[in-house]
């Protein structure tokens, strides 16, 4: 059983790598007739199309279906790793406990990634970026809904300094530590 779960872990890790490579290649507009690009599309399109059809996603220029696919795969992979660890230590396997553990780890990963995106947004705002750049627009579209809500709750700061990223990062740390206490 442990060998099968380990093999499944490596298969999920490999598929996550394929999805990530496809996402990164879309940023450079690759040749669609390249055999490697064709393989990536054939390998990832069924899962991405399933997510796009069945999960209501917000309309934006950023396609979040690969992100949701990676989160789902990471959730399953963490569940498999936790179950494998329980089996190898001869501990009783609790499906609900392992699912809760995988969910908390996935949520912490999402929060860390979002915090990094907010830090990138803050650094970008210091250098007067090109507003038509795809990455700049993607970062702004991902962070503006949360930062706008926080900004609307804050009093107007003097000197034009925006405190909303700092407050969101503090909130992310608080939620992440609360999730850590929930797991342990």
């Amino acid at each position: 059983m442990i060998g099968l779960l380990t093999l499944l872990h490596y298969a999920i890790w490999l598929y996550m790598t394929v999805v990530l490579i496809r996402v990164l290649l879309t940023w450079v507009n690759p040749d669609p007739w390249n055999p490697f690009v064709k393989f990536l599309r054939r390998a990832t399109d069924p899962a991405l199309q399933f997510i796009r059809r069945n999960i209501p996603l917000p309309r934006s220029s950023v396609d979040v279906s690969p992100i949701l696919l990676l989160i789902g795969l990471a959730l399953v992979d963490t569940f498999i790793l936790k179950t494998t660890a329980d089996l190898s230590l001869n501990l009783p396997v609790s499906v609900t406990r392992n699912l809760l553990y995988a969910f908390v780890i996935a949520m912490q990963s999402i929060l860390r990634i979002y915090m990094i995106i907010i830090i990138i947004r803050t650094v970008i705002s210091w250098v007067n970026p090109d507003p038509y750049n795809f990455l700049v627009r993607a970062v702004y579209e991902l962070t503006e809904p949360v930062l706008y809500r926080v900004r609307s709750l804050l009093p107007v700061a003097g000197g034009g300094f925006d405190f909303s990223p700092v407050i969101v990062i503090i909130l992310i740390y608080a939620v992440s530590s609360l999730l850590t206490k929930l797991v342990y």
Side-chain angles (χ1 to χ4, degrees):
M1 186 67 165
I2 294 173
L4 181 65
L5 289 175
T6 304
L7 185 64
L8 191 58
H9 159 67
Y10 285 121
I12 290 173
W13 177 83
L14 183 64
Y15 192 70
M16 287 173 66
T17 305
V18 168
V19 171
L20 192 60
I21 290 171
R22 174 170 178 188
V23 169
L24 293 175
L25 275 180
T26 60
W27 293 355
V28 295
N29 198 13
D31 176 24
W33 303 110
N34 185 315
F36 183 67
V37 174
K38 282 183 175 181
F39 164 75
L40 290 175
R41 292 179 96 180
R42 279 194 307 266
T44 57
D45 271 349
L48 294 175
Q49 291 300 330
F50 177 81
I51 290 172
R52 289 177 189 134
R53 274 193 314 266
N54 296 316
I55 297 176
L57 300 173
R59 296 260 185 228
S60 75
S61 64
V62 179
D63 184 16
V64 294
S65 59
I67 297 169
L68 292 177
L69 179 60
L70 288 171
I71 291 169
L73 289 171
L75 184 82
V76 171
D77 190 42
T78 304
F79 174 77
I80 289 171
L81 288 174
K82 179 71 171 133
T83 304
T84 305
D86 288 350
L87 287 174
S88 65
L89 296 174
N90 291 327
L91 296 174
V93 176
S94 170
V95 174
T96 55
R97 185 187 66 204
N98 290 354
L99 277 175
L100 178 65
Y101 177 80
F103 178 75
V104 167
I105 296 299
M107 291 305 296
Q108 285 182 327
S109 298
I110 293 168
L111 289 172
R112 275 189 226 113
I113 291 169
Y114 197 71
M115 184 177 64
I116 290 169
I117 293 171
I118 288 176
I119 292 170
I120 290 170
R121 158 119 185 214
T122 305
V123 171
I124 285 175
S125 71
W126 297 341
V127 294
N128 194 15
D130 176 18
Y132 299 107
N133 185 316
F134 169 75
L135 291 176
V136 172
R137 285 186 304 163
V139 167
Y140 273 78
E141 284 184 20
L142 288 171
T143 58
E144 188 57 31
V146 173
L147 293 177
Y148 175 77
R149 286 186 180 91
V150 171
R151 232 182 271 123
S152 67
L153 297 173
L154 291 175
V156 177
F161 188 75
D162 185 13
F163 287 102
S164 58
V166 174
I167 291 175
V168 170
I169 288 172
I170 290 170
L171 288 173
I172 288 173
Y173 269 116
V175 170
S176 182
S177 68
L178 180 68
L179 287 172
T180 302
K181 289 182 181 182
L182 178 69
V183 168
Y184 297 109

